[in-house]
Amino acid sequence: MISPKYSTTHYSLGIKALSTAKSAPHVVNLFFDYNCPFSAKLYLKLYNKVIPELQKTHPDKFQFVYINVVQPWHTNSTLLNEFGLAYAKVLREKNIDDSQKLFWDFNKVVYQDKEQFYDNSTIELTRNQIYEKIYDVVAKDLDLKVGKDDLLKELLIKSGGEPDNAGNGATADVKYFTRIVRNTGIHVTPTVTVDGVVDDSISSGTSEDELIKVFTAKL
């Protein structure tokens, strides 16, 4: 389980479910990368049907937790994860209503439009231009509740001046999640753990109905 600091964005149920549920929910960690097509396939199954169905039939029994994984062989993975983490940070800092839903909706839109961020789709763009493209692509389908300027100031790297390698407003969170991933020894995306144990029966090819059966069997 990641820090409660991220409970209002990365937890599907929020921190309250851990303290108010009659029995502790099963914690399902989703180790996903925005630039991974297999992560996209599994996330959309979970988002569209599996998580809502489990919440309907077994309320508050499963706490799904989104873990940002940077896969270095996908060039834009770092930029997408920086953007997602910066967005989550702004949602938390501004105490924006429905921050949880907004973050999970953001993930959905990124995964739906994943081809927009493949290597040959952005090869002519600079780093800062890619951040802007991410905002523009997502904002077409989702009201982010955060102004473009407010979000980009967390991300854009200023040119000129003395050489600087300090990163941006998302760097601390990228480091945090990277440590989480390295400490667990997980390398492949998507990877799903249930109560701390990797479940190899869960993959991008698993049907929605079968996923529901797999999770229900954990009860």
Side-chain angles (χ1 to χ4, degrees), residues 6 12 16 22 30 39 45-46 48 73 89 101 109 111 116 118 125 134-135 149 156 173 186 203:
Y6 302 97
S12 64
K16 290 182 180 179
K22 292 182 180 179
L30 308 175
S39 292
K45 290 178 181 180
L46 294 170
N48 290 328
W73 51 85
K89 175 185 175 184
K101 184 176 187 304
V109 175
Y111 284 128
Q116 298 263 13
Y118 284 178
L125 302 179
I134 297 169
Y135 187 97
D149 290 343
L156 298 183
D173 285 334
I186 288 173
S203 73

Side-chain angles (χ1 to χ4, degrees), residues 125-158:
L125 302 179
T126 67
R127 175 178 181 174
N128 284 346
Q129 287 172 332
I130 293 173
Y131 293 137
E132 293 198 45
K133 178 175 181 175
I134 297 169
Y135 187 97
D136 291 341
V137 168
V138 175
K140 288 180 181 178
D141 296 323
L142 177 66
D143 181 0
L144 292 166
K145 306 294 184 183
V146 174
K148 187 174 184 179
D149 290 343
D150 286 341
L151 188 47
L152 291 181
K153 74 180 181 182
E154 294 283 340
L155 295 162
L156 298 183
I157 305 296
K158 295 180 180 179

Side-chain angles (χ1 to χ4, degrees), residues 1-2 4 7 11 13-21 23-25 27 63:
M1 178 68 98
I2 60 175
S7 63
Y11 292 18
L13 297 177
I15 191 66
K16 290 182 180 179
L18 295 176
S19 58
T20 61
S23 59
V27 177
Q63 174 76 280

Side-chain angles (χ1 to χ4, degrees), residues 2-213:
I2 60 175
S3 169
K5 167 185 174 180
Y6 302 97
S7 63
T8 58
T9 50
H10 287 63
Y11 292 18
S12 64
L13 297 177
I15 191 66
K16 290 182 180 179
L18 295 176
S19 58
T20 61
K22 292 182 180 179
S23 59
H26 294 277
V27 177
V28 182
N29 285 323
L30 308 175
F31 293 83
F32 287 8
D33 169 32
Y34 293 125
N35 229 186
C36 169
F38 303 105
S39 292
K41 189 175 180 181
L42 181 54
Y43 184 90
L44 293 174
K45 290 178 181 180
L46 294 170
Y47 177 97
N48 290 328
K49 182 175 180 179
V50 177
I51 295 176
E53 182 65 21
L54 289 172
Q55 182 62 7
K56 178 181 176 181
T57 56
H58 306 288
D60 298 342
K61 295 301 183 185
F62 293 95
Q63 174 76 280
F64 287 85
V65 181
Y66 190 89
I67 311 290
N68 291 81
V69 179
V70 176
Q71 297 288 32
W73 51 85
H74 293 309
T75 304
N76 288 329
S77 175
T78 298
L79 306 187
L80 285 161
N81 279 286
E82 282 182 333
F83 194 103
L85 289 167
Y87 179 50
K89 175 185 175 184
V90 173
L91 289 174
R92 293 192 302 271
E93 290 179 347
K94 291 183 176 293
N95 293 314
I96 294 176
D97 291 339
D98 296 326
S99 60
Q100 222 155 19
K101 184 176 187 304
L102 285 168
F103 178 72
W104 287 72
D105 287 350
F106 164 84
N107 295 344
K108 174 193 174 186
V109 175
V110 171
Y111 284 128
Q112 285 178 333
D113 294 327
K114 59 189 179 300
E115 293 85 357
Q116 298 263 13
F117 311 111
Y118 284 178
D119 290 346
N120 61 351
S121 298
T122 60
I123 192 63
E124 303 295 334
L125 302 179
T126 67
R127 175 178 181 174
N128 284 346
Q129 287 172 332
I130 293 173
Y131 293 137
E132 293 198 45
K133 178 175 181 175
I134 297 169
Y135 187 97
D136 291 341
V137 168
V138 175
K140 288 180 181 178
D141 296 323
L142 177 66
D143 181 0
L144 292 166
K145 306 294 184 183
V146 174
K148 187 174 184 179
D149 290 343
D150 286 341
L151 188 47
L152 291 181
K153 74 180 181 182
E154 294 283 340
L155 295 162
L156 298 183
I157 305 296
K158 295 180 180 179
S159 61
E162 291 294 320
D164 187 305
N165 203 28
N168 56 28
T171 299
D173 285 334
V174 170
K175 289 181 178 180
Y176 173 81
F177 279 92
T178 299
R179 285 195 296 270
I180 291 287
V181 174
R182 289 178 178 175
N183 287 338
T184 56
I186 288 173
H187 302 283
V188 176
T189 55
T191 293
V192 177
T193 66
V194 182
D195 299 329
V197 179
V198 174
D199 192 325
D200 290 326
S201 70
I202 300 172
S203 73
S204 61
T206 310
S207 72
E208 293 169 330
D209 289 340
E210 186 59 32
L211 287 168
I212 292 171
K213 289 179 181 178

